Amino acid sequence: MSKNIAILTSGGDCAGLNAVMSAIVKRADALGWGVIGIENGTAGLLEEPYAVRTLSPADFDGFVMRRGGTILGTTNSKNPFKYPMPDGSVKDRSDELIAAIKDLGIDAVIGIGGDGSFAILNKLATQGNLPFIGVPKTIDNDLSLTDLSVGFDTAVEVATEALDRLQPTAASHDRVMILEVMGRDAGHIALAAGIAGGVDVILIPEIPYTIENIAKKIQQVKDSGRNFALVIVSEAVKTAAGEKVEVADGRYGGVGAYLAPKIAEATGFETRVTVLGHVQRGGSPTWNDRLLAQAFGVRAVDLVNEGKFGRMVAWQNRAVVDVAIEDAIKECRIVRTHGTQVHTARSVGISFGD
Ligand code: F6P
């Protein structure tokens, strides 16, 4: 009987998840491992019957790898240690989950997730003595010890394209256009897309701003004879008073709408806001994400095959490596305020409002 790897996608989706799974299944098949897909993160193992399916290379024809989303489904609200029950209570179902993995004859688990998912999966692995490997994915790109996580490149591409589309309409109407992007507590998407999209102001949670300084930059733009300005703001940027801006349930959203009237009043420019939202997570992955995803998937299976567990695959110096999961999730990797990207932005005249 062949040995089995279980795979799952957990946390918020992003482009490139199907490409990771495609590579895992193909590499596993070549090395003589079977693959079982668990649906909806770990939640598929808490259903009766288990929501699982065998995956083979035939399931990954030419279409799937190009598709956004995840063919297995995912969740960011069904923590097995605090599982939301139908009666509204929460229950620790971690032991049930570990029992299900053993029941299915699973020899190793590869989880494709971000920091939140890895904290949960690593805890489960320790508790159940489960051989576990992590593949990093998150548009936020905030996992430590990897330069890139799957999904980030596509999110930046979408945000850059949005700026390319906003620029002509901004110029046609003499407006300031504010683009609000995701990224949670790290400003990586806003910084990368802001530079690539040639904005005038980048606002990220790592660099405090003032409205006066934003207005000063926009005034300079006006004085230079340009009739429009572009601003990109990361969702976790706070109000001038240091308060979090959220839509509901602690979720970020609305900082663009908060800033718009203030910028309009301070600059005299008509100001409009675009909130990019989940558009950044959907759609076909860029070539960079497809390449990274498949390199990660192959390496994850190789680690399983070598019997090396408790590791996260990572991208460092243009190569795939592996690092201890605990080290990767120790802290959120935020923007280096004196790093190359911030220096580049400042050097080409972009203001951070500081
Ligand atoms: O972590 C990925 C992310 O897209 C963040 O950038 C964003 O704040 C959050 O997830 C949105 O979560 P949800 O899909 O639950 O609205």
Side-chain angles (χ1 to χ4, degrees):
M1 260 186 27
S2 77
K3 294 175 98 183
N4 288 314
I5 301 172
I7 63 172
L8 60 94
T9 47
S10 178
D13 75 331
C14 62
L17 297 175
N18 293 321
V20 178
M21 291 189 273
S22 169
I24 289 176
V25 169
K26 288 172 184 168
R27 182 64 172 160
D29 187 64
L31 295 175
W33 289 77
V35 179
I36 297 170
I38 303 171
E39 294 178 5
N40 302 323
T42 52
L45 293 178
L46 297 173
E47 286 175 33
E48 224 184 292
Y50 303 134
V52 295
R53 59 182 133 131
T54 303
L55 295 173
S56 73
D59 295 311
F60 292 89
D61 55 19
F63 296 102
V64 178
M65 189 263 291
R66 297 168 216 281
R67 272 171 38 196
T70 157
I71 57 161
L72 287 180
T74 186
T75 173
N76 57 8
S77 61
K78 290 192 175 153
N79 179 348
F81 293 96
K82 290 180 194 155
Y83 197 86
M85 301 301 284
D87 66 2
S89 64
V90 290
K91 189 178 168 192
D92 181 353
R93 300 187 69 187
S94 55
D95 284 337
E96 275 174 75
L97 217 149
I98 291 163
I101 289 173
K102 301 207 162 143
D103 187 29
L104 284 165
I106 291 167
D107 301 287
V109 178
I110 299 178
I112 307 160
D115 56 349
S117 302
F118 286 166
I120 293 168
L121 292 167
N122 201 39
K123 193 169 163 194
L124 268 176
T126 308
Q127 182 175 317
N129 198 19
L130 303 172
F132 174 64
I133 299 291
V135 174
K137 64 85 219 170
T138 165
I139 65 163
D140 306 336
N141 207 26
D142 58 355
L143 274 154
S144 292
L145 301 179
T146 184
D147 296 340
L148 290 169
S149 291
V150 174
F152 174 66
D153 189 74
T154 305
V156 173
E157 181 69 29
V158 171
T160 304
E161 194 198 328
L163 289 167
D164 289 348
R165 288 172 186 271
L166 287 171
Q167 186 274 326
T169 170
S172 305
H173 284 268
D174 300 358
R175 282 174 172 163
V176 171
M177 287 291 184
I178 302 176
L179 178 67
E180 180 181 319
V181 295
M182 284 183 165
R184 226 180 278 255
D185 299 313
H188 299 294
I189 297 176
L191 179 57
I195 296 170
V199 302
D200 302 292
V201 180
I202 296 174
L203 300 174
I204 54 176
E206 294 87 345
I207 302 180
Y209 70 92
T210 65
I211 297 289
E212 294 70 40
N213 287 335
I214 298 172
K216 209 156 101 191
K217 172 66 196 174
I218 293 172
Q219 189 57 48
Q220 277 169 14
V221 168
K222 236 184 187 175
D223 294 344
S224 75
R226 179 139 60 81
N227 67 338
F228 72 92
L230 297 174
V231 177
I232 191 164
V233 58
S234 195
E235 62 180 358
V237 165
K238 295 194 165 95
T239 65
E243 285 151 2
K244 177 177 174 182
V245 187
E246 58 182 46
V247 270
D249 312 326
R251 280 183 295 117
Y252 289 120
V255 66
Y258 161 81
L259 289 168
K262 297 189 165 42
I263 291 177
E265 196 192 317
T267 64
F269 263 118
E270 208 173 38
T271 303
R272 295 287 187 268
V273 185
T274 300
V275 181
L276 214 42
H278 294 79
V279 172
Q280 292 155 98
R281 299 215 315 227
S284 190
T286 58
W287 75 265
N288 271 320
D289 268 332
R290 294 181 207 187
L291 179 61
L292 185 73
Q294 293 183 84
F296 278 173
V298 167
R299 181 75 174 144
V301 175
D302 288 346
L303 287 172
V304 169
N305 202 45
E306 290 159 18
K308 206 171 161 195
F309 296 106
R311 313 292 293 170
M312 181 188 86
V313 298
W315 188 254
Q316 293 176 0
N317 302 321
R318 295 190 292 148
V320 181
V321 296
D322 56 275
V323 299
I325 289 206
E326 279 122 24
D327 295 339
I329 58 178
K330 236 175 236 161
E331 57 188 37
C332 175
R333 189 176 72 86
I334 57 172
V335 167
R336 286 186 295 134
T337 52
H338 294 94
T340 301
Q341 290 192 42
V342 171
H343 175 67
T344 303
R346 289 195 194 279
S347 305
V348 297
I350 297 172
S351 164
F352 285 87
D354 59 341

